[in-house]
């Protein structure tokens, strides 16, 4: 007990920062998310990502174990092998949960406690780093409170708030802070090369076991560590060995997790979503949500106050002192400057954009692009720069101002950070304190679902096509996961959707009695392609090889399905109450469907079709697109009808409408009917 009390006293200020982070988490998200048996709040989220993360863990939990791939998942895209890495389910916790599975309740989630841990570590590590940068000692009470106040800016760092319970694994900003802590305390904590290899090897394990995007961020900090050892002339081993340990540990873990043995894995997306570095300080310059790297109003205020403090010191004749300080710490200046520049270059991608203007595009070798594009949303890497800039600014304020003045300034920065994020924080408070968030909700209300699960006749759920955008998809996937069934379709990060779409369609050629087949939305058009007994539960069409003790769904004389126009991509047009209206030079392309062999009739209703060009196309993503040979059977300004026949599945089939002149064209509806 005395040793615990001594440790608590020694680390009381980092623990105070951690407590601040934990309190902020509890205030924002409440305590119900900490109930491991409460999973409805995850599944009720309107975004599919939390469901993917949770169900990825559940499928993995119930999957067979086949060495050496301890992280392989054979249940999510049955009968193929995927990896827990690609469901963003925090692999380290998933593996631990699988080991402890016999002791856990049937429905179990660890994401709530993970969130609490992230906030606590964010606050604790931020305080410890600020104390180091600010030259604060534990006995300087006012300055210590100032470090806690400054830690609040990082606790409310936008990337942490926005990613929590959205891309939950990506909320581990504390990994970057931990790496910076190791860098800043390397002389004391890592006096030998062996200890450095152990520490950075552990960092590699943590990053690979949480989320792959932290590998390059922490890796850039490690480059700073290696640079410092080089400038200290510690020898080649001190420079290279920790880097090799980091890469080797991460690579070995990814091999064991099955990351390189997963079916349908497409590691490179072939493009880079880079950051506009001006967006670090100016909100709204991001081209997309993924490219938003704004450090928050409080972070900007801290940087402005730090710059003003330096300027004021120069005016007061303290420029010489500042210059002397930089000379004494020139190695650190070079190291942290290199980290900032290297991270900026990695985050920008090969297209340099500043202030909303594209300055240039750098042509790089294809082999480098293939590696870089594994982290296609590279704007995220700028989180390192954002947090480091805030830490440096707060550290400067601590060094240039007295304890109470610094505490007041840093507290003001935290309040500004909260004010700037008030809408996002308010939304999260409202959402996670509402009873409806935790209420059980599923589209599967018919007792037949539970009766089928209890019958023991089925072990697998199979979707007719690869499409997880359907409203019912995640309820069906949750049903399969909860009852120990497999699913043949699931969303995975870095997934080759083309290969999955073709493979799933091919799997329908061999029907199995222990599989319940699901035909959602447009897949109902394919019911006559398969010799199944059909039933409808909760409006969802299912098929079984063997008859079931329910009334069979009669085959309709003609089956027609309306396309959801809101899923269309539109140029020079808009969605109105009447449908999609295209102006001069306008075009629309419907959402993608998969059509099985047969004869189809497509009917477009609206106005101005005599001033349009209409066609249908299909083709796999990023591959050649083919126009269909169609026959128009009805041509009128208010209605266009065409037919076509296909003897093979059509992947990503779409209908396109283009305007031919200045006359507006309105598409109010598109219906697809399978006639044979």
């Amino acid at each position: 007990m005395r040793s615990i009390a001594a440790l608590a006293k020694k680390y009381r200020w980092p623990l105070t920062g951690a407590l601040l982070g934990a309190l902020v988490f509890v205030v924002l998200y409440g305590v119900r998310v900490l109930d491991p048996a409460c999973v409805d709040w995850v599944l009720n989220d309107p975004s599919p990502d939390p469901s993917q993360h949770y169900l990825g863990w559940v499928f993995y939990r119930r999957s067979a174990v086949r060495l050496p791939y301890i992280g392989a998942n054979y249940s999510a895209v049955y009968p193929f092998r995927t990896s827990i890495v690609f469901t963003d389910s925090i692999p380290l916790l998933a593996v631990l949960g699988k080991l402890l599975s016999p002791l856990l309740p049937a429905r179990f989630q660890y994401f709530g406690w993970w969130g609490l841990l992230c906030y606590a570590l964010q606050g604790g590590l931020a305080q410890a780093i600020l104390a180091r940068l600010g030259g604060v000692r534990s006995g300087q009470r006012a300055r210590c409170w100032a470090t806690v106040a400054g830690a609040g800016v990082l606790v409310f760092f936008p990337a942490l708030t926005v990613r929590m319970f959205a891309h939950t694994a990506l909320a581990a900003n504390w990994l970057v802070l931990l790496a910076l802590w190791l860098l800043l305390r390397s002389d004391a904590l890592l006096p030998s090369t062996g200890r450095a290899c152990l520490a950075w090897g552990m960092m590699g394990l943590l990053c690979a076991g949480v989320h792959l995007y932290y590998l390059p961020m922490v890796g850039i900090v490690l480059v700073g560590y290696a640079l410092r050892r080089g400038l200290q002339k510690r020898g080649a081993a001190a420079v290279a060995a920790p880097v090799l340990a980091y890469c080797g540990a991460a690579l070995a873990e990814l091999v064991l997790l099955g990351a390189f043995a997963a079916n349908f894995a497409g590691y490179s997306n072939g493009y880079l979503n880079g950051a506009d570095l001006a967006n670090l300080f100016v909100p709204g310059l991001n081209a997309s949500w993924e490219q938003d790297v704004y450090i928050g109003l409080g972070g900007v205020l801290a940087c402005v106050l730090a710059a003003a403090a330096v300027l004021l010191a120069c005016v007061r004749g303290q420029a010489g002192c500042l210059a002397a300080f930089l000379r004494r710490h020139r190695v650190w200046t070079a190291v942290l400057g290199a980290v900032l520049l290297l991270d900026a270059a990695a985050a920008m991608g090969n297209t340099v954009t500043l202030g909303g203007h594209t300055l240039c595009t750098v042509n790089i070798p294809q082999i480098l692009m293939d590696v870089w594009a594994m982290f296609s949303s590279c704007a995220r890497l700028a989180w390192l720069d954002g947090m480091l800039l805030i830490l440096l600014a707060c550290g400067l304020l601590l060094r240039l101002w007295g304890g109470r003045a610094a505490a007041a300034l840093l507290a003001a920065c935290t309040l500004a950070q909260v004010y700037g994020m008030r809408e996002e924080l308010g939304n999260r408070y409202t959402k996670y304190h509402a009873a409806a968030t935790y209420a059980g909700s599923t589209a599967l209300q018919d007792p037949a679902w539970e009766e089928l699960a209890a019958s023991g006749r089925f072990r697998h759920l199979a979707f007719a096509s690869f499409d997880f955008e359907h409203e019912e998809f995640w309820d069906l996937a949750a049903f399969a996961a909860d009852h120990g069934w497999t699913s043949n379709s699931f969303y995975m990060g870095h997934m080759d959707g083309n290969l999955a779409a073709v493979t799933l369609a091919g799997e329908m050629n061999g029907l199995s009695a222990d599989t319940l087949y699901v035909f959602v939305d447009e897949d109902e058009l394919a019911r006559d392609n398969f010799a199944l007994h059909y039933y409808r539960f909760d409006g969802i069409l299912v098929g079984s090889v063997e008859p079931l003790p329910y009334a069979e769904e009669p085959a309709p004389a003609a089956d027609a399905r309306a396309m959801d126009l809101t899923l269309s991509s539109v140029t020079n047009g808009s969605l109105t109450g009447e449908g999609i209206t295209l102006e001069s030079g306008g075009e629309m392309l419907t959402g993608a469907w998969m059509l099985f062999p047969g004869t189809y009739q497509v009917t477009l209703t609206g106005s101005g079709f005599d001033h349009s060009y209409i066609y249908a196309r299909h083709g796999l993503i990023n591959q050649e697109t083919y126009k269909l040979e169609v026959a128009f059977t009805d041509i009128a300004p208010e209605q266009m009808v065409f037919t076509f026949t296909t003897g093979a599945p059509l992947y990503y089939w779409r209908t396109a409408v283009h305007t031919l002149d200045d006359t507006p064209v309105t598409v109010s509806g598109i219906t697809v009917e399978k006639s044979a």
Side-chain angles (χ1 to χ4, degrees):
M1 291 298 293
R2 289 181 179 178
S3 60
I4 295 176
L7 283 173
K9 182 178 181 180
K10 181 179 180 180
Y11 296 106
R12 62 187 179 278
W13 293 111
L15 289 172
T16 303
L19 179 60
L20 171 65
L23 288 174
V24 168
F25 176 87
V26 171
V27 169
L28 282 179
Y29 302 97
V31 295
R32 295 193 66 179
V33 297
L34 299 177
D35 181 355
C38 179
V39 303
D40 290 311
W41 65 273
V42 182
L43 297 173
N44 289 344
D45 199 285
S47 168
D49 291 303
S51 294
Q52 178 213 11
H53 308 157
Y54 168 70
L55 294 177
W57 137 249
V58 179
F59 278 122
Y60 169 70
R61 177 185 182 181
R62 305 185 189 286
S63 174
V65 178
R66 299 173 187 172
L67 298 177
Y69 305 120
I70 60 173
N73 189 341
Y74 299 89
S75 297
V77 190
Y78 179 85
F80 302 97
R81 178 172 59 212
T82 59
S83 171
I84 192 64
V85 170
F86 299 122
T87 57
D88 292 343
S89 304
I90 314 172
L92 281 178
L93 295 185
V95 172
L96 178 62
K98 190 175 180 73
L99 291 173
L100 299 176
S101 187
L103 305 176
L104 302 178
R107 301 186 98 193
F108 177 84
Q109 58 85 17
Y110 44 73
F111 300 100
W113 282 95
W114 167 257
L116 179 64
L117 178 69
C118 286
Y119 270 81
L121 289 175
Q122 188 86 349
L125 287 167
Q127 188 283 329
I129 293 171
L130 285 178
R132 176 69 174 172
L133 290 174
V136 179
R137 295 180 176 84
S138 59
Q140 299 172 322
R141 190 174 183 84
R143 287 165 61 80
C144 286
W145 278 115
T147 61
V148 175
V153 182
L154 272 298
V155 168
F156 289 101
F157 189 64
L160 171 59
T161 303
V162 172
R163 298 290 173 165
M164 183 57 68
F165 302 144
H167 290 164
T168 310
L170 275 173
N173 296 169
W174 58 268
L175 283 170
V176 177
L177 296 180
L178 181 58
L180 289 171
W181 170 245
L182 284 176
L183 171 61
L184 293 170
R185 294 281 292 154
S186 53
D187 288 342
L189 298 177
L190 311 176
S192 67
T193 300
R195 186 173 293 184
C197 289
L198 178 62
W200 288 108
M202 291 296 294
M203 288 301 302
L205 293 176
L206 280 173
C207 293
V210 172
H211 199 285
L212 296 181
Y213 270 83
Y214 283 103
L215 282 172
M217 280 187 269
V218 171
I220 290 170
V221 179
L222 174 55
V223 170
Y225 170 85
L227 175 61
R228 183 162 188 267
R229 289 309 191 208
L231 293 174
Q232 291 176 322
K233 299 180 180 180
R234 295 280 292 269
V239 173
V243 176
L244 294 175
Y246 176 79
C247 296
L251 182 63
E253 182 179 12
L254 290 174
V255 169
L256 289 175
L257 291 175
F260 304 113
N263 301 117
F264 311 115
Y267 297 101
S268 175
N269 290 329
Y271 64 89
L272 297 171
N273 283 331
D276 184 331
L277 293 182
N279 181 221
L280 286 167
F281 305 100
V282 182
L285 292 179
N286 51 297
S288 69
W289 178 74
E290 279 289 5
Q291 293 165 281
D292 190 357
V293 296
Y294 182 52
I295 64 174
L297 181 60
V300 173
L301 179 60
C303 293
V304 171
L305 290 174
V310 171
L311 182 61
L312 183 60
C314 293
V315 171
R316 290 176 173 176
Q318 298 174 327
C321 295
L322 290 174
F325 177 83
L326 291 176
R327 283 196 299 272
R328 289 198 308 271
H329 297 89
R330 58 185 177 275
V331 171
W332 281 118
T333 302
V335 166
L336 296 178
V339 169
L340 287 170
L341 290 175
L342 183 58
D343 184 63
M348 282 191 296
N350 65 325
T351 300
V352 181
T353 304
L354 193 64
H357 302 285
T358 300
L359 303 182
C360 64
T361 298
V362 181
N363 293 321
I364 61 176
Q366 188 59 46
I367 186 171
L368 177 58
M369 174 61 83
D370 290 340
V371 174
W372 202 347
M374 291 175 62
F375 306 97
S376 56
S377 297
C378 60
R380 298 171 179 172
L381 306 184
W383 298 347
L384 164 58
D385 267 2
M387 287 189 283
L388 183 52
L389 286 170
I390 292 173
L391 290 167
L392 290 173
C394 294
L396 267 174
L397 289 173
L398 282 162
R399 287 187 179 271
L400 295 176
W401 290 83
R404 292 183 179 180
L409 290 174
L410 293 178
C413 291
T414 295
L415 292 175
Q417 192 82 320
V418 172
Y419 179 80
M421 296 191 64
R422 62 192 182 280
E423 183 175 353
E424 180 68 31
L425 296 173
N427 289 340
R428 288 178 176 266
Y429 178 88
T430 300
K431 175 180 178 179
Y432 290 98
H433 287 77
T437 299
Y438 305 92
S441 176
T442 177
L444 311 185
Q445 298 293 328
D446 194 309
W449 296 106
E450 292 299 327
E451 293 167 4
L452 291 173
S455 70
R457 297 179 58 172
F458 298 102
R459 296 187 301 154
H460 314 290
L461 186 74
F463 294 86
S465 68
F466 176 68
D467 188 349
F468 44 82
E469 300 292 345
H470 299 296
E471 186 176 333
E472 304 90 347
F473 176 86
W474 294 104
D475 284 334
L476 289 163
F479 169 80
D482 282 343
H483 292 89
W485 294 12
T486 68
S487 172
N488 73 331
S489 181
F490 200 73
Y491 172 64
M492 316 288 290
H494 291 280
M495 189 171 195
D496 186 340
N498 288 339
L499 182 58
V502 173
T503 303
L504 261 63
E507 288 293 303
M508 292 296 292
N509 292 327
L511 303 177
S512 174
D514 62 355
T515 302
L516 186 69
Y517 297 90
V518 182
F519 299 81
V520 182
D521 295 339
E522 66 269 15
D523 289 343
E524 289 194 23
L525 297 174
R527 62 180 294 163
D528 62 342
N529 290 83
F530 308 104
L532 295 169
H533 298 272
Y534 288 98
Y535 308 86
R536 192 175 295 277
F537 309 128
D538 295 311
I540 301 171
L541 185 69
V542 301
S544 171
V545 171
E546 302 293 338
L548 301 176
Y550 306 102
E552 292 199 31
E553 171 85 356
D559 196 3
R561 308 294 297 184
M563 304 196 79
D564 185 352
L565 297 184
T566 64
L567 301 179
S568 304
S569 58
V570 180
T571 303
N572 291 339
S574 59
L575 182 66
T576 66
E578 298 179 355
I580 293 177
T581 298
L582 304 175
E583 306 298 337
S584 176
E587 59 180 302
M588 66 164 285
L589 193 63
T590 64
W593 281 12
M594 177 178 167
L595 299 181
F596 286 85
T599 297
Y600 295 86
Q601 175 177 288
V602 181
T603 302
L604 295 89
T605 56
S607 62
F609 288 135
D610 51 338
H611 295 269
S612 71
Y613 170 52
I614 299 170
Y615 67 93
R617 54 180 269 194
H618 68 98
L620 297 173
I621 299 173
N622 296 327
Q623 296 187 18
E624 186 175 355
T625 298
Y626 303 93
K627 281 189 178 181
L628 279 171
E629 292 292 335
V630 303
F632 281 89
T633 60
D634 190 0
I635 300 176
E638 293 78 27
Q639 179 171 290
M640 299 286 278
V641 181
F642 64 85
T643 64
F644 62 90
T645 299
T646 176
L650 301 180
Y651 303 101
Y652 302 104
W653 174 88
R654 308 167 189 261
T655 295
V657 180
H658 296 249
T659 59
L660 293 176
D661 50 37
D662 294 338
T663 303
V665 175
T666 298
V667 182
S668 58
I670 301 178
T671 302
V672 182
E673 180 179 339
K674 188 177 183 184
S675 56

